[in-house]
Amino acid sequence: MTDSSTPAVPWWREYPDRLRWEIRELNSRGIKFSIDRAALSAGVMRMYVVVRSSAITTELEVTFPDLYPHFRPSARSSTLRLGHHLDPFGGDVCLIARGSRHWSESDSLGWLLEEQLPKVLADLIDPDQAEPISALMSYVPNSAVLIESDLLPPEEVTTGELWIAATSVFPDGSDPWLGAVEVCSWAEGSVDGEATRALGLSNRFEGSWFRLQDAPASTDAAKLWRTDISTPEQVVNDKVAVAYQLMLFPEEHAPGRTGTGAALLTRLSLSQPRATRRLSGQRGPIPAPSYALVRTSRVGANDRSSRVPELDDVSLASILIVGCGALGSLIAEQLARAGVGELILVDGDVLDAGNLVRHSADIFDVGLTKASAVGRVAKRSAPGISVEVHEFMVGRASSGMRPLEESPMVRLTEAVERSHVVIDATAEIAVHEVLSKMALARRTTLVVAEGSPGAWGGTVATIPAGASACGNCLEFSRQGGLVPSPPANSVRVQPIGCSEPTFTGAGYDLAEVALQAVRATVSEVRRIDPAETVIDIVELRDPSGVPVLPRWNRVHIARREECEWH
């Protein structure tokens, strides 16, 4: 092992033949160059090159990465003006695509400049991706503002008002800062954000927005700030005033297609009058306002589904999950990320810190019911999702103190009736029987997910609406030995403070079962698979408990003549 205190050897010293070869390549191609000796003494190989062709002479600053030749060198120009393949703010010239697969160690700087540069200058490289200007701008670190593409005003409108919510007053770049544009309005109308409002950020500010006719020419927030439009200032703690402007501008969203880009401008200024400052002992000129440019991040339902177009149709689905423990929480989180429209969560058990070894919630959810904790997980994963929480245990005796329409059984029945798919993640036989009967009577698909003791394996049963075999047929098949049992570890532990023993098992093993349950659920919502009852069995350990590659086996369940449910 290399001593971490030993300085890394620069690549040109570790591979001196490589540097000599690079120089020969440049000379053989007639490319003039000089090495920046000051940069070299600082441990950076930087060259200034002059590339001449019949049409143009191009001067570039080329910097080699520390891990050269595994990664390509970068080129920068302060004079080029190109429509594509150039960062207009930093001057970086994109000679080849960013992925390292586009660069080979057999390539040289001379090849890049002789072969690729003329294509870039002549715009002969057909862009296979958009080059949005917002992706090239420099922003304050550790900060972002969430917007929804559907929330942006019509292109013909040039200015208006907005409401923004944020985690704190001003993004100073040190502490994490998150904002969310909740409302954009103008003289003739307004649009509200569903996902951004759902975040429930506590600090709300009024601001303004404006639209540029061309892409911004700078990333300096002070220069971009518009003084010709009315922007409200909000005084905080009687000391400072904060103001927000959302800047909209045209940018490329797909090759040859223009859309609306966005960035947030923020300004923080001292609000105390001079007399107040003198009384408090403050002297000297009033400090100049501080400005910041904040990146936008798109969080709308259409923005999210554009990354997985095949999941567009799941946004209308309502999914009921009974049991929000290890499996149920993982299933809920992934369904939320997949874009389902609504999750109905049922579990009255309380989340303990020890549960987090295999639960998708975090330490700040401890003490909530598991249904509430998983609801928060779903909201954090997909702010626009609708979440309904029922904090009761299926089968537990009712107190009788509530109206009949609020009883657990009535609420469970209504939830099943509203759902496209019901997921049983309780690992309770009686709950499985109740949900099987309810789903069958209401022609609702049922998915049953279980991990075996120790999480050595697990099963995912799918009983589609209209299938010939029901949940009871599945149980007959299990009892008849037609469904193999996954490996299991019978060891149980009772952690300190727990009312009963629990199984051992890791979250990463249960995740294998949970993800198959998600696949089965999404397939049922999209009606991909035929309507037949199946059970998928996974082995994650061999009989002695040694981890193995997940091995899945599917068993098709036929209707049983002895089943009295039909």
Side-chain angles (χ1 to χ4, degrees):
M1 181 179 293
T2 303
D3 185 351
S4 60
S5 64
T6 303
V9 178
W11 68 264
W12 60 89
R13 291 181 182 164
E14 186 172 2
Y15 310 114
D17 290 342
R18 176 73 189 209
L19 178 59
R20 287 190 284 269
W21 177 71
E22 289 284 355
I23 291 174
R24 287 198 302 271
E25 281 283 294
L26 292 170
N27 288 330
S28 67
R29 299 170 190 268
I31 298 172
K32 302 296 183 181
F33 71 94
S34 63
I35 296 176
D36 185 335
R37 297 297 171 182
L40 193 67
S41 64
V44 177
M45 175 60 72
R46 180 174 295 132
M47 293 183 178
Y48 300 98
V49 301
V50 179
V51 184
R52 292 186 174 88
S53 66
S54 57
I56 190 173
T57 297
T58 306
E59 297 181 0
L60 296 173
E61 175 188 290
V62 176
T63 302
F64 291 82
D66 292 341
L67 293 175
Y68 194 77
H70 305 294
F71 297 87
R72 65 178 176 86
S74 60
R76 183 179 178 277
S77 170
S78 59
T79 58
L80 284 177
R81 299 292 181 267
L82 303 174
H84 286 96
H85 313 301
L86 176 71
D87 177 353
F89 307 114
D92 290 333
V93 183
C94 184
L95 298 176
I96 57 173
R98 291 181 184 151
S100 58
R101 67 182 181 277
H102 299 286
W103 168 262
S104 169
E105 292 184 26
S106 62
D107 296 331
S108 67
L109 173 61
W111 168 79
L112 270 179
L113 299 176
E114 185 178 68
E115 299 293 331
Q116 293 298 109
L117 180 59
K119 297 177 184 177
V120 170
L121 297 177
D123 201 16
L124 297 178
I125 299 178
D126 185 25
D128 60 355
Q129 64 183 43
E131 296 183 13
I133 196 74
S134 58
L136 302 174
M137 300 170 75
S138 298
Y139 301 100
V140 62
N142 304 318
S143 305
V145 61
L146 303 176
I147 63 172
E148 301 179 48
S149 292
D150 295 338
L151 173 67
L152 298 179
E155 292 187 2
E156 63 271 15
V157 186
T158 59
T159 187
E161 296 76 44
L162 62 80
W163 279 96
I164 183 171
T167 52
S168 60
V169 174
F170 185 76
D172 60 9
S174 56
D175 296 323
W177 184 92
L178 182 67
V181 176
E182 294 185 341
V183 180
C184 276
S185 61
W186 58 99
E188 294 81 17
S190 66
V191 281
D192 290 14
E194 295 181 6
T196 50
R197 276 187 178 276
L199 287 168
L201 299 177
S202 57
N203 301 292
R204 298 187 75 237
F205 307 96
E206 192 175 1
S208 62
W209 65 268
F210 64 89
R211 187 184 302 276
L212 298 176
Q213 297 304 309
D214 299 304
S218 169
T219 60
D220 186 333
K223 293 179 179 178
L224 293 169
W225 186 268
R226 290 280 294 271
T227 58
D228 59 333
I229 62 174
S230 176
T231 302
E233 284 190 326
Q234 183 160 329
V235 178
V236 180
N237 297 329
D238 297 324
K239 293 182 179 180
V240 296
V242 63
Y244 296 91
Q245 291 183 350
L246 182 67
M247 177 177 64
L248 307 180
F249 46 85
E251 68 174 2
E252 194 176 44
H253 282 181
R257 182 171 65 83
T258 301
T260 298
L264 182 71
L265 306 172
T266 64
R267 184 181 68 186
L268 186 71
S269 56
L270 193 67
S271 67
Q272 291 178 310
R274 289 181 182 273
T276 305
R277 296 185 72 242
R278 285 196 298 270
L279 288 174
S280 62
Q282 300 180 55
R283 297 290 186 267
I286 297 176
S290 298
Y291 294 86
L293 182 65
V294 182
R295 72 176 67 247
T296 57
S297 186
R298 308 207 178 208
V299 73
N302 291 333
D303 298 313
R304 294 164 59 87
S305 65
S306 66
R307 295 174 181 261
V308 193
E310 67 179 22
L311 296 182
D312 279 350
D313 47 3
V314 306
S315 63
L316 301 177
S318 178
I319 309 296
L320 168 62
I321 302 178
V322 182
C324 297
L327 279 176
S329 69
L330 295 168
I331 292 169
E333 179 184 7
Q334 289 302 319
L335 286 174
R337 294 183 186 280
V340 299
E342 181 183 39
L343 286 178
I344 306 172
L345 307 171
V346 177
D347 199 326
D349 195 15
V350 175
L351 183 71
D352 183 81
N355 298 141
L356 300 182
V357 298
R358 46 180 173 256
H359 200 280
S360 64
D362 60 38
I363 195 70
F364 297 101
D365 299 319
V366 170
L368 301 175
T369 63
K370 290 178 180 178
S372 292
V374 171
R376 285 161 57 101
V377 169
K379 284 286 190 181
R380 288 195 294 263
S381 304
I385 192 173
S386 173
V387 174
E388 182 175 301
V389 171
H390 295 277
E391 298 174 319
F392 63 82
M393 305 292 287
V394 176
R396 186 164 294 178
S398 175
S399 64
M401 301 301 292
R402 293 181 176 181
L404 179 61
E405 62 270 16
E406 295 182 11
S407 71
M409 192 63 185
V410 171
R411 286 189 285 163
L412 181 63
T413 302
E414 291 175 348
V416 172
E417 289 175 344
R418 284 171 40 208
S419 301
H420 294 87
V421 177
V422 175
I423 300 175
D424 176 8
T426 64
E428 289 285 348
I429 295 175
V431 175
H432 169 59
E433 182 175 352
V434 168
L435 292 177
S436 293
K437 287 182 176 179
M438 291 178 124
L440 179 64
R442 290 156 184 81
R443 296 184 63 83
T444 301
T445 294
L446 175 66
V447 173
V448 183
E450 297 181 57
S452 66
W456 283 16
T459 60
V460 176
T462 305
I463 308 164
S468 60
C470 66
N472 201 36
C473 295
L474 173 60
E475 288 309 307
F476 275 117
S477 297
R478 284 181 187 268
Q479 296 168 12
L482 300 178
V483 178
S485 297
N489 178 6
S490 59
V491 174
R492 289 168 64 85
V493 296
Q494 186 167 2
I496 296 174
C498 288
S499 60
E500 58 185 343
T502 183
F503 74 95
T504 61
Y508 56 79
D509 280 330
L510 288 173
E512 185 76 26
V513 181
L515 292 176
Q516 179 57 24
V518 173
R519 292 188 189 97
T521 301
V522 172
S523 294
E524 284 301 311
V525 169
R526 300 183 63 215
R527 289 296 181 188
I528 293 176
D529 295 327
E532 61 174 332
T533 299
V534 297
I535 182 167
D536 300 316
I537 306 103
V538 64
E539 298 177 8
L540 302 171
R541 299 285 194 278
D542 68 12
S544 63
V546 176
V548 297
L549 288 175
R551 293 192 292 258
W552 283 95
N553 177 36
R554 170 166 287 187
V555 176
H556 296 263
I557 304 300
R559 178 171 176 171
R560 300 296 294 255
E561 294 299 328
E562 64 269 38
C563 178
E564 67 277 8
W565 289 11
H566 296 285

